[in-house]
Amino acid sequence: MDGNGRWARRRGLPRTEGHRRGLLTAERIVRFAGEELGIPYLTLYAFSKENWQRPPEEVEFLIELMGEFIREKRKLLVENEIRLRILGDLEELPPSLREEVEKTLELTRGFERYHLNIAFNYGGRQEILRAVRQIVTDRLEGRLNGEPIDERLFRRYLYTAGQPDPDLLIRTGGEERISNFLLWQIAYTELWVTETLWPDFTPEEFLAAVEEYQCRERRFGQVLQP
Ligand code: IPE
Ligand code: MG
């Protein structure tokens, strides 16, 4: 979800106003993905490990906004049977936000049809290192027995354990880079970049991305027989 800051600057508004508008886009897209497209897994990249280096007022605002979203949308998630997961380290977040998050995680734990992942305090490299550390600990403490350390095992140690890899990655705001997002999981994900800034991103454009995705030939490194 990139481009909130630029959206605001172009209107002479503070960056935080861009984030506020961006949250409205996120809500609209979550609804559309589930209700109209029936997409079972949706991940929003909301706050990266690197985002802590932004000005403290902006960091504080983004954390507040996340708390607001979790609190205000809790009922909506439950009513629509959407299971929430947070990809990222919760331990480093303020206790008040953690409490709000944990409450929502608990309330939505039983849902299976729709999954909303919010990557918050997330970094792909950090996620991989965390998995390695946990595997080493589990092996040393005898919890892995003789299990081979292969891709199947490794996946179980990622935040996305039990979920399929993403089919499509949409990046708004025009930058053609990955920015530490789901590095392991997107090995064969289709990329779609748009110049549209996140607050201006619409369900119509989302649909256009999905339709283009459906025309792509996914080979996963293989040669397809004619
Ligand atoms: C939203 O866009 C990303 C986050 C919520 C951290 P940016 O804040 O990165 O917007 P630009 O790239 O400055 O326009
Ligand atoms: Mg940006």
Side-chain angles (χ1 to χ4, degrees), residues 46-106:
F47 191 83
S48 74
K49 284 268 183 191
E50 290 72 28
N51 285 152
W52 290 106
Q53 291 156 42
R54 293 189 174 197
E57 318 82 65
E58 186 173 341
V59 169
E60 205 175 303
F61 187 86
L62 287 168
I63 288 176
E64 285 284 320
L65 207 58
M66 174 69 172
E68 211 179 286
F69 177 80
I70 294 292
R71 213 170 28 249
E72 287 177 9
K73 300 299 158 195
R74 184 177 291 137
K75 197 160 156 259
L76 196 93
L77 294 175
V78 171
E79 278 168 8
N80 290 282
E81 307 202 348
I82 299 171
R83 176 165 180 185
L84 178 75
R85 271 202 198 77
I86 303 296
L87 318 184
D89 287 343
L90 286 177
E91 305 82 55
E92 291 170 13
L93 299 174
S96 55
L97 176 57
R98 263 168 52 189
E99 275 168 36
E100 296 288 356
V101 165
E102 266 150 21
K103 198 164 150 194
T104 310
L105 294 178
E106 195 48 49

Side-chain angles (χ1 to χ4, degrees), residues 6 10-11 19 38 66 68 100 111 125 151 158 169 173 197 205 213:
R6 278 163 283 169
R10 284 181 197 171
R11 286 164 178 76
H19 295 313
M66 174 69 172
E68 211 179 286
E100 296 288 356
F111 302 138
R125 288 182 171 175
E151 288 187 20
L158 297 172
L169 189 167
L197 304 174
E205 195 175 1
Y213 160 82

Side-chain angles (χ1 to χ4, degrees), residues 134-188:
Q134 286 183 5
I135 290 169
V136 171
T137 307
D138 283 355
R139 170 58 57 93
L140 289 175
E141 294 178 359
R143 280 188 291 273
L144 284 177
N145 304 317
E147 265 190 85
I149 298 174
D150 56 12
E151 288 187 20
R152 228 176 50 138
L153 176 129
F154 199 83
R155 285 172 182 282
R156 300 208 309 252
Y157 286 83
L158 297 172
Y159 292 119
T160 49
Q163 301 189 356
D165 287 339
D167 291 314
L168 173 65
L169 189 167
I170 297 174
R171 179 161 187 152
T172 57
E175 315 284 4
E176 297 182 329
R177 55 175 170 257
I178 298 301
S179 300
N180 209 10
F181 184 59
L182 299 180
L183 294 182
W184 170 280
Q185 295 89 336
I186 62 166
Y188 280 97

Side-chain angles (χ1 to χ4, degrees), residues 3-13 173 195-197 200:
N4 294 349
R6 278 163 283 169
W7 182 92
R9 201 178 55 218
R10 284 181 197 171
R11 286 164 178 76
L13 298 168
E195 290 293 328
T196 303
L197 304 174
D200 290 329

